[in-house]
Amino acid sequence: MIHGISPFGSKRCYTTTAALTAWQLRDTLLNKSNRRYWLSTDYLRPACRQHAARPSHCLGRQAVLRQIDHAEQPDGYHSQSRCANTNAHSIAQHRSLHADPCPPGNFPFTTIDPNRAIGYLQIPCACSRESLPNNAPSESGQAPPLQKRCKPNYGTCQQGVRSVPIELLDVAGLVPGAHQGKGLGNKFLDDLRHADALIHVVDVSGTTDADGKSTRGYDPSNDIVWLRSEIVNWVLGNLMQKWGGVKRRHAAIKASNVDTLQGQFSGYGATGTIIARTLDRLAIKQPLQDWDNETVEQVVNAFVDEKFPTVLALNKIDHPDADKNVSKIARLVPPERIVLCSAISEVFLRRLVKQEYIRYIPGSEFVDSREDLLELGEDPDAAGSGLKEMDEKLKTRIENLKDMVLYRFGSTGVNQVLTRASELLGLVAVFPVRNIGTFGSGEAGTGAERAAVFRDCVLVKKGSTVGDVYRKVMGDAPLAFVETVGGIRVSEEDEVGPGKNDILSFKVGRG
């Protein structure tokens, strides 16, 4: 699951052309509609759920994103793969914007219960691999044949870029002192424990302070520090309340450090593997009953880093004051945790796509207008690509957006936030198929050459084996054998990775 966090309380700021409200950034990442997909730990299924009783414009600024236990559900398969994403102004979703956008403005403490929705992680699809049998284009510049037949059961595939669904949560606001119960802090932190990863959206324009009030010249690096401090103090406070009893029981039953800490941190979704990695990072030699308070705090800090890997989405990069704040944050935070984004630009482009003024793929740096298509020799009125004429004012706005955001940063950064979160989690996309020769799912009444391919995609952790994927997809069904590309049989112990054992066909039965 992926959670989203903002340091701005639960108020939203007024929207200008240079700044994006929490609502806008949240809705670019969340696919909000009455008809949505939601995920359980067993399978993904469509469900009709009405919006919360309060109006949609009363959604607060904090966001929590949950990664999917099974990103895409194969027909007849079961899966339990999960992703996590945290975001206060939740970021990128491949589909259209919310049909009923809410008006921008200040709405303090209006998000009480988490709002669930689905965002989309963009990955290279297997259909674009020219190395697959019979998938080389007949002419240079053409798409591979399988790309034309790729039709995912969930999400989409456009020009070889696949959008894999991720469960997102928009959660209550957070203010300094949340671990002591201020604001809705306790509820927010309780929602946070379900996350696998966090996306902290930071307003780098410096126009919003820690209490959600409009200002100028605020240092957003403060938000990064106090937000992490709130999470650490929350975990540390819960542990220290019972630390004396924990040490006595640990010594009495002669438990291992991993077992004892797993028992204490299980409420945060910790596994033995996470606890072991936490202790390995610190290389602590002394037994748990001899730890002093400083050692306990070090362990909690390391645990928070392991359990809640956090991406910093530095939003409003098109604001005049953004550069100096981005530079300061870049000196404090590892670069792999930072994504620069302008969600207002993404919202603007998606609206123009919906209104048929431009052709734009979310996450791309390219925007094609009617004039651009004419220059490329394409028919702008052809079916599926017909675009409207733009007036001079709209053309100027698009050119300014290209210069300030797309050409300067390579994209709006919105889709890249989920990508970066998946990289921190070490997620690997695996494509289960029924027919390893045609990569189809074996739909009845459909010829092999005409069948849709790569219908399903599963996200698993880096280091997972073929057997791990099988159990995630098929459950406890007996396994006869597994094949990969070329009909090659692979062992359950073989590791999966990008381009390695990531296209699999499972044969159920007694081997």
Side-chain angles (χ1 to χ4, degrees), residues 178-191:
H179 72 282
Q180 298 172 336
K182 292 183 180 180
L184 298 176
N186 285 335
K187 180 168 181 56
F188 168 82
L189 292 169
D190 186 62
D191 293 332

PDB file of all heavy atoms in Angstrom, residues 178-191:
ATOM      1  N   ALA A 178       1.253  15.714  16.440  1.00  0.00           N
ATOM      2  CA  ALA A 178       0.236  14.698  16.165  1.00  0.00           C
ATOM      3  C   ALA A 178       0.420  13.477  17.056  1.00  0.00           C
ATOM      4  O   ALA A 178      -0.562  12.854  17.484  1.00  0.00           O
ATOM      5  CB  ALA A 178       0.282  14.299  14.690  1.00  0.00           C
ATOM      6  N   HIS A 179       1.681  13.103  17.350  1.00  0.00           N
ATOM      7  CA  HIS A 179       1.907  11.902  18.161  1.00  0.00           C
ATOM      8  C   HIS A 179       1.427  12.092  19.598  1.00  0.00           C
ATOM      9  O   HIS A 179       1.266  11.132  20.352  1.00  0.00           O
ATOM     10  CB  HIS A 179       3.387  11.526  18.152  1.00  0.00           C
ATOM     11  CG  HIS A 179       4.261  12.447  18.943  1.00  0.00           C
ATOM     12  ND1 HIS A 179       4.668  13.684  18.475  1.00  0.00           N
ATOM     13  CD2 HIS A 179       4.807  12.330  20.195  1.00  0.00           C
ATOM     14  CE1 HIS A 179       5.425  14.274  19.377  1.00  0.00           C
ATOM     15  NE2 HIS A 179       5.536  13.471  20.428  1.00  0.00           N
ATOM     16  N   GLN A 180       1.175  13.356  19.989  1.00  0.00           N
ATOM     17  CA  GLN A 180       0.629  13.657  21.308  1.00  0.00           C
ATOM     18  C   GLN A 180      -0.885  13.829  21.264  1.00  0.00           C
ATOM     19  O   GLN A 180      -1.489  14.198  22.257  1.00  0.00           O
ATOM     20  CB  GLN A 180       1.278  14.931  21.851  1.00  0.00           C
ATOM     21  CG  GLN A 180       2.788  14.805  22.035  1.00  0.00           C
ATOM     22  CD  GLN A 180       3.441  16.130  22.389  1.00  0.00           C
ATOM     23  OE1 GLN A 180       2.913  17.196  22.080  1.00  0.00           O
ATOM     24  NE2 GLN A 180       4.593  16.057  23.061  1.00  0.00           N
ATOM     25  N   GLY A 181      -1.473  13.588  20.090  1.00  0.00           N
ATOM     26  CA  GLY A 181      -2.919  13.664  19.958  1.00  0.00           C
ATOM     27  C   GLY A 181      -3.444  14.964  19.402  1.00  0.00           C
ATOM     28  O   GLY A 181      -4.669  15.153  19.337  1.00  0.00           O
ATOM     29  N   LYS A 182      -2.572  15.885  18.974  1.00  0.00           N
ATOM     30  CA  LYS A 182      -3.041  17.152  18.437  1.00  0.00           C
ATOM     31  C   LYS A 182      -3.668  16.946  17.062  1.00  0.00           C
ATOM     32  O   LYS A 182      -3.219  16.127  16.278  1.00  0.00           O
ATOM     33  CB  LYS A 182      -1.883  18.142  18.333  1.00  0.00           C
ATOM     34  CG  LYS A 182      -1.331  18.590  19.679  1.00  0.00           C
ATOM     35  CD  LYS A 182      -0.234  19.627  19.502  1.00  0.00           C
ATOM     36  CE  LYS A 182       0.319  20.072  20.855  1.00  0.00           C
ATOM     37  NZ  LYS A 182       1.398  21.092  20.706  1.00  0.00           N
ATOM     38  N   GLY A 183      -4.701  17.752  16.788  1.00  0.00           N
ATOM     39  CA  GLY A 183      -5.403  17.625  15.519  1.00  0.00           C
ATOM     40  C   GLY A 183      -6.021  16.254  15.393  1.00  0.00           C
ATOM     41  O   GLY A 183      -6.619  15.722  16.329  1.00  0.00           O
ATOM     42  N   LEU A 184      -5.872  15.652  14.229  1.00  0.00           N
ATOM     43  CA  LEU A 184      -6.341  14.283  14.012  1.00  0.00           C
ATOM     44  C   LEU A 184      -5.154  13.334  13.944  1.00  0.00           C
ATOM     45  O   LEU A 184      -5.204  12.304  13.277  1.00  0.00           O
ATOM     46  CB  LEU A 184      -7.152  14.208  12.706  1.00  0.00           C
ATOM     47  CG  LEU A 184      -8.419  15.074  12.672  1.00  0.00           C
ATOM     48  CD1 LEU A 184      -9.071  14.995  11.305  1.00  0.00           C
ATOM     49  CD2 LEU A 184      -9.391  14.638  13.752  1.00  0.00           C
ATOM     50  N   GLY A 185      -4.099  13.704  14.645  1.00  0.00           N
ATOM     51  CA  GLY A 185      -2.839  12.981  14.530  1.00  0.00           C
ATOM     52  C   GLY A 185      -2.921  11.508  14.844  1.00  0.00           C
ATOM     53  O   GLY A 185      -2.397  10.676  14.107  1.00  0.00           O
ATOM     54  N   ASN A 186      -3.579  11.150  15.950  1.00  0.00           N
ATOM     55  CA  ASN A 186      -3.645   9.743  16.322  1.00  0.00           C
ATOM     56  C   ASN A 186      -4.331   8.919  15.246  1.00  0.00           C
ATOM     57  O   ASN A 186      -3.918   7.802  14.932  1.00  0.00           O
ATOM     58  CB  ASN A 186      -4.374   9.577  17.647  1.00  0.00           C
ATOM     59  CG  ASN A 186      -3.507  10.003  18.825  1.00  0.00           C
ATOM     60  OD1 ASN A 186      -2.282   9.975  18.739  1.00  0.00           O
ATOM     61  ND2 ASN A 186      -4.130  10.421  19.911  1.00  0.00           N
ATOM     62  N   LYS A 187      -5.406   9.463  14.675  1.00  0.00           N
ATOM     63  CA  LYS A 187      -6.125   8.728  13.643  1.00  0.00           C
ATOM     64  C   LYS A 187      -5.283   8.612  12.383  1.00  0.00           C
ATOM     65  O   LYS A 187      -5.226   7.552  11.753  1.00  0.00           O
ATOM     66  CB  LYS A 187      -7.450   9.424  13.318  1.00  0.00           C
ATOM     67  CG  LYS A 187      -8.235   8.703  12.245  1.00  0.00           C
ATOM     68  CD  LYS A 187      -9.642   9.220  12.125  1.00  0.00           C
ATOM     69  CE  LYS A 187     -10.396   8.444  11.060  1.00  0.00           C
ATOM     70  NZ  LYS A 187     -10.394   7.001  11.308  1.00  0.00           N
ATOM     71  N   PHE A 188      -4.620   9.717  12.021  1.00  0.00           N
ATOM     72  CA  PHE A 188      -3.761   9.676  10.844  1.00  0.00           C
ATOM     73  C   PHE A 188      -2.659   8.642  11.006  1.00  0.00           C
ATOM     74  O   PHE A 188      -2.405   7.834  10.113  1.00  0.00           O
ATOM     75  CB  PHE A 188      -3.159  11.053  10.599  1.00  0.00           C
ATOM     76  CG  PHE A 188      -2.055  11.026   9.579  1.00  0.00           C
ATOM     77  CD1 PHE A 188      -2.339  11.047   8.234  1.00  0.00           C
ATOM     78  CD2 PHE A 188      -0.725  10.951   9.971  1.00  0.00           C
ATOM     79  CE1 PHE A 188      -1.335  11.008   7.293  1.00  0.00           C
ATOM     80  CE2 PHE A 188       0.291  10.915   9.044  1.00  0.00           C
ATOM     81  CZ  PHE A 188      -0.018  10.945   7.699  1.00  0.00           C
ATOM     82  N   LEU A 189      -1.988   8.675  12.141  1.00  0.00           N
ATOM     83  CA  LEU A 189      -0.883   7.752  12.354  1.00  0.00           C
ATOM     84  C   LEU A 189      -1.367   6.311  12.398  1.00  0.00           C
ATOM     85  O   LEU A 189      -0.662   5.397  11.955  1.00  0.00           O
ATOM     86  CB  LEU A 189      -0.158   8.117  13.645  1.00  0.00           C
ATOM     87  CG  LEU A 189       0.604   9.455  13.591  1.00  0.00           C
ATOM     88  CD1 LEU A 189       1.070   9.856  14.977  1.00  0.00           C
ATOM     89  CD2 LEU A 189       1.772   9.371  12.632  1.00  0.00           C
ATOM     90  N   ASP A 190      -2.572   6.083  12.900  1.00  0.00           N
ATOM     91  CA  ASP A 190      -3.117   4.733  12.901  1.00  0.00           C
ATOM     92  C   ASP A 190      -3.386   4.264  11.471  1.00  0.00           C
ATOM     93  O   ASP A 190      -3.143   3.100  11.131  1.00  0.00           O
ATOM     94  CB  ASP A 190      -4.406   4.687  13.719  1.00  0.00           C
ATOM     95  CG  ASP A 190      -4.941   3.264  13.872  1.00  0.00           C
ATOM     96  OD1 ASP A 190      -4.222   2.427  14.464  1.00  0.00           O
ATOM     97  OD2 ASP A 190      -6.049   2.988  13.388  1.00  0.00           O
ATOM     98  N   ASP A 191      -3.877   5.169  10.606  1.00  0.00           N
ATOM     99  CA  ASP A 191      -4.069   4.812   9.196  1.00  0.00           C
ATOM    100  C   ASP A 191      -2.726   4.531   8.521  1.00  0.00           C
ATOM    101  O   ASP A 191      -2.623   3.682   7.639  1.00  0.00           O
ATOM    102  CB  ASP A 191      -4.770   5.953   8.450  1.00  0.00           C
ATOM    103  CG  ASP A 191      -6.206   6.165   8.920  1.00  0.00           C
ATOM    104  OD1 ASP A 191      -6.817   5.181   9.371  1.00  0.00           O
ATOM    105  OD2 ASP A 191      -6.689   7.304   8.837  1.00  0.00           O
TER     106      ASP A 191
END
